[in-house]
Amino acid sequence: MFDCIIVGGGIAGLQAAIQLGRYSAYNVVVIDKGTGRSTLCRSYHNILGWPGGIPGEELRNRGRGQAESFGVTFRRDTIVKAETIKDGFVLSGESGKLYEGRMLLLATGLTDRFPDIPGLVPTLGRTVYVCPDCDGYEVQDRKTIVMGAGNPGADMAILLRDRTPDITYVNHEQTPVDPGRMEEMETRGITYVDKSIARILLKEDGLIQGVSLGDGSVLPAERGFISFGGNQVHSELAVQLGAEIEHNRHVKADPRTKMTNIQKRLGGRGLRRSLRTRHRSHGGWRYSRDMD
């Protein structure tokens, strides 16, 4: 039985693995399916110590190597089921393997929804972004196109307007936008285009040059953002363990303590079983047995 199982080998999971590994007293394993936001991002510019940026895959590889140097082990698998047992938790992998641990840390993050637009993936994290908190700085005073759908895309365009006066929202899926949002975009000088995108125009190495629309017209751009809505928050395992979730599938937690609805005392050893959320930009959830 592992002392701690970490599900998710992205930035949050790896940081947790490094911290736990450095205690030198615990048998820690990271179970990762090998995909996620950090596998798509061509360059992170908001990571301490990397002012010139670092690719997501390189960051993951470096993090894994650092965790392994402290004795943390890694398994490639997709966890499909989580249950509590007397001494902790048992996880079932897509591979058919079972993993038992005394503590479970979920750093499963989310998956962005975006259509298969030719040329889009090579730009992600290079000149086209998904998170305004992480990368809003990158569009400062640049000609920017928001590629999205309906209200989510409109909200992103309105949010980024504080960064650049030259912003266009292309409603690729041509889904409805609320009148109030339409009015605000017009008031703030955001160009609105209700047309599909045929492909992303690139220079080299993921540098966006513009977008080609379905009608053959071209919109030039220096930077871009995507916001199609419907992102998948991977809270399924937390739900299986009894956690309450919000309407957007994020785990419901106390704003101060990050405690969830789950708190149960077990036996006479003073063990407490509790579920907390991880409060990180690339997020996850922690479900753990702690000593009182």
Side-chain angles (χ1 to χ4, degrees), residues 26-283:
Y26 302 122
N27 184 16
V28 179
V29 63
V30 177
I31 304 173
D32 183 44
K33 63 182 180 180
T35 60
R37 264 187 174 180
S38 55
T39 62
L40 290 174
C41 183
R42 294 282 309 279
S43 184
Y44 284 103
H45 287 86
N46 64 329
I47 304 296
L48 179 66
W50 298 96
I54 179 172
E57 286 284 14
E58 181 180 349
L59 187 61
R60 287 170 65 103
N61 290 336
R62 286 174 175 267
R64 174 170 177 160
Q66 189 174 352
E68 287 176 331
S69 73
F70 301 126
V72 176
T73 58
F74 286 76
R75 301 285 187 273
R76 176 63 64 88
D77 206 346
T78 300
I79 301 301
V80 296
K81 187 177 182 181
E83 300 175 281
T84 59
I85 56 178
K86 180 180 178 181
D87 296 323
F89 308 91
V90 60
L91 307 182
S92 302
E94 201 173 65
S95 65
K97 294 181 180 179
L98 298 178
Y99 307 89
E100 293 186 0
R102 295 183 177 85
M103 184 172 78
L104 174 61
L105 190 152
L106 301 180
T108 45
L110 59 80
T111 299
D112 295 284
R113 183 185 77 85
F114 55 88
D116 185 18
I117 301 174
L120 177 58
V121 170
T123 68
L124 293 178
R126 184 72 172 90
T127 52
V128 176
Y129 313 97
V130 300
C131 176
D133 295 322
C134 299
D135 294 311
Y137 178 85
E138 302 299 326
V139 307
Q140 192 76 36
D141 297 324
R142 294 178 181 269
K143 183 181 291 293
T144 301
I145 289 181
V146 173
M147 296 164 273
N151 290 332
D155 288 340
M156 181 67 78
I158 292 168
L159 180 64
L160 293 174
R161 179 59 182 81
D162 291 335
R163 292 286 191 178
T164 176
D166 192 349
I167 189 162
T168 298
Y169 169 36
V170 180
N171 187 354
H172 170 74
E173 296 181 349
Q174 300 174 51
T175 46
V177 178
D178 290 346
R181 290 178 169 89
M182 291 294 294
E183 182 179 351
E184 184 169 2
M185 285 193 293
E186 183 177 0
T187 299
R188 304 198 66 184
I190 298 169
T191 302
Y192 176 68
V193 178
D194 192 44
K195 297 178 182 179
S196 63
I197 299 170
R199 61 191 175 97
I200 307 300
L201 304 177
L202 303 177
K203 293 182 180 177
E204 71 282 336
D205 194 28
L207 299 178
I208 188 172
Q209 188 174 15
V211 300
S212 176
L213 302 178
D215 62 3
S217 59
V218 172
L219 299 176
E222 298 175 281
R223 294 291 185 270
F225 258 85
I226 60 172
S227 184
F228 290 91
N231 295 341
Q232 182 183 3
V233 180
H234 297 295
S235 54
E236 301 90 349
L237 298 178
V239 172
Q240 290 177 19
L241 294 169
E244 292 182 1
I245 60 172
E246 302 281 6
H247 69 280
N248 59 3
R249 304 295 298 175
H250 288 275
V251 176
K252 185 180 292 187
D254 181 273
R256 184 180 65 84
T257 66
K258 305 305 174 186
M259 291 286 291
T260 70
N261 59 298
I262 297 177
Q263 185 174 356
K264 180 180 178 182
R265 294 183 179 276
L266 303 175
R269 294 179 57 195
L271 285 175
R272 181 179 65 205
R273 184 168 59 193
S274 62
L275 175 58
R276 298 185 179 88
T277 62
R278 289 183 58 78
H279 190 60
R280 292 180 179 273
S281 60
H282 292 273

Side-chain angles (χ1 to χ4, degrees), residues 1-29:
M1 175 178 281
F2 294 101
D3 292 309
C4 181
I5 300 173
I6 299 172
V7 181
I11 297 173
L14 289 171
Q15 182 63 66
I18 291 168
Q19 187 65 33
L20 288 173
R22 285 175 59 84
Y23 280 104
S24 304
Y26 302 122
N27 184 16
V28 179
V29 63

